[in-house]
Amino acid sequence: MNVLGIIASGVAALFITVALAKGARRAALRPHAPDEPGGRASRAAVLRRTGGATVVLGVGTAAGGALWLGAADGSAGSVAGLLAGAGIVAALGLVHDLKPFRAALRLPVQAAAAVLVVCLAGLSPAAGVLAVLWIVLVANAFALLDHADGLLTTVGLVTAAGLLACAVLGGDPALTLLPATLVAGLAGFLLHNWHPARLRLGASGAQFTGFALAASGALIQAAAPSGRAAWAALPVLATVALADTALVLISRRRAARSLLRDTDDHIAHRLRRVRVTVPGAAVLLGLWAAVPVTTATLVYAELLHPAFLLLPPAGSVAAVFALLRIPAYSPPRTSPSRTAARRTTAPTTGAAIPSAASAPGATGPAPGKGEPSGTARTAAGHPTVPPPPTGRSAAGVAAERS
């Protein structure tokens, strides 16, 4: 595949994605889209959530058209398997966008799509097993980045650009087809996905993007010349996605929370808690992704020593531990103890505290009610208050008075 074919495929993916996304945005922003009965989401909300289908259609149409025109040459099987696997995962994600289901049900389908890619690429059994595990892991790691406006689109755009550069340096032009169209498609979709996002990638676009990036990296690594440090360079491209996944798993494990239940504990959520804006979080993660992508590309091109590949993962590990110090979960609500609740709700027993009957305006109890018989009273009818005991007899008191 020549350079003009790559450029033409990218331009086609860009225009198709922009046109489809613009149409979906207009349909989503119509003011007469009422809410569905039964508390279901409105049509506008569904259209915004399924906006990633425009990326799938734009990239798939451009890459498929180039493949049909014979642009892939001898690697048509590998590219066709990659497109087919990504399309299967995207279709499953679209079903999830329309009717959500458990995330664990996606793993068998993703594994089957990865096996299809590996089989059509003709990898050895050992390399095929490693490639399947890598594709499933990295695809889900990238999909988890779709938790803020423009985040996955930005990181995916930077990662796809690095894969495109590595594919060009690797000497297999056919493997540049999907990264080139993915760069163009994500760039066109970013116009509508930047904060405030009018369209979202959703499960369909996120799963398609993650699977395409992971599978492209695996195939480029398998087709790389033996002299290049591809075994170490290409995995570094997924540093940000893997760091976010590690952050989530560690924090949920520490808090004794479910590992599969998604909450606001990702990188962008923690950055928001330290007053970083949503666009600022997307820019920061894009720059974070650019560091390992640039390093891996230079090492792959044999312009840097492979030892430099240790720097991005080490920095990402330090960043993960720093982000763990930012609280992600609200403190549990403290309920009053049973003893305290019993004290506040139980009726008062025992002798009641007498009211200040001698206070101005106070009304004492009626005679004969609540008083022992024989109580001395004054002329006004109030009970007399005996003097406090002094320890002296009545005769002594009378002698003092006389």
Side-chain angles (χ1 to χ4, degrees):
M1 188 175 184
N2 54 21
V3 178
L4 293 179
I6 297 175
I7 296 176
S9 301
V11 171
L14 176 63
F15 277 100
I16 294 173
T17 303
V18 169
L20 293 176
K22 189 174 183 179
R25 177 185 175 182
R26 286 181 176 178
L29 294 180
R30 287 178 181 175
H32 56 80
D35 293 339
E36 295 293 332
R40 291 179 294 177
S42 64
R43 295 180 181 179
V46 173
L47 285 172
R48 294 189 188 99
R49 188 170 62 245
T50 58
T54 59
V55 178
V56 177
L57 293 175
V59 174
T61 302
L67 185 65
W68 180 68
L69 293 175
D73 300 330
S75 301
S78 300
V79 179
L82 204 160
L83 282 176
I88 293 172
V89 172
L92 181 68
L94 183 60
V95 174
H96 178 74
D97 287 331
L98 299 176
K99 189 176 182 180
F101 54 87
R102 292 185 178 181
L105 299 178
R106 296 198 297 260
L107 293 178
V109 179
Q110 293 172 353
V115 169
L116 176 63
V117 173
V118 168
C119 291
L120 292 180
L123 300 181
S124 62
V129 171
L130 293 177
V132 169
L133 295 176
W134 173 259
I135 291 172
V136 174
L137 172 64
V138 176
N140 286 281
F142 272 104
L144 288 176
L145 289 176
D146 189 31
H147 57 265
D149 294 347
L151 189 60
L152 176 57
T153 311
T154 303
V155 176
L157 178 62
V158 175
T159 307
L163 289 172
L164 177 61
C166 292
V168 172
L169 295 172
D172 193 349
L175 295 179
T176 62
L177 178 59
L178 191 58
T181 54
L182 192 60
V183 167
L186 291 177
F189 187 75
L190 187 60
L191 301 175
H192 306 277
N193 188 235
W194 194 254
H195 183 75
R198 276 75 65 185
L199 295 176
R200 293 182 54 193
L201 280 173
S204 178
Q207 293 290 329
F208 176 83
T209 302
F211 190 91
L213 293 172
S216 297
L219 294 184
I220 293 172
Q221 183 175 12
S226 57
R228 299 185 186 275
W231 63 272
L234 291 174
V236 177
L237 298 177
T239 299
V240 174
L242 295 177
D244 181 71
T245 302
L247 173 68
V248 168
L249 294 179
I250 294 173
S251 60
R252 292 178 186 176
R253 181 66 177 176
R254 286 183 174 181
R257 291 175 174 260
S258 175
L259 299 180
L260 299 180
R261 186 176 180 180
D262 197 12
T263 55
D264 297 341
D265 53 1
H266 294 268
I267 293 178
H269 297 143
R270 296 171 189 267
L271 292 177
R272 289 286 293 144
R273 286 180 173 86
V274 292
R275 301 183 181 275
V276 178
T277 62
V278 176
V283 172
L284 284 178
L285 264 74
L287 295 175
W288 184 355
V291 174
V293 165
T294 304
T295 305
T297 304
L298 294 176
V299 171
Y300 190 83
E302 299 180 343
L303 298 177
L304 284 180
H305 193 272
F308 283 93
L309 294 174
L310 298 175
L311 298 178
S316 298
V317 169
V320 167
F321 279 103
L323 290 169
L324 283 173
R325 300 178 65 88
I326 301 175
Y329 311 111
S330 58
R333 295 180 178 177
T334 56
S335 58
S337 61
R338 293 183 179 180
T339 306
R342 197 173 299 165
R343 288 177 179 175
T344 55
T345 58
T348 305
T349 58
I353 300 175
S355 59
S358 60
T363 304
K369 292 185 180 180
E371 298 179 3
S373 60
T375 304
R377 295 181 173 276
T378 62
H382 298 290
T384 59
V385 180
T390 60
R392 296 177 296 175
S393 62
V397 174
E400 291 179 2
R401 289 180 179 178
S402 62

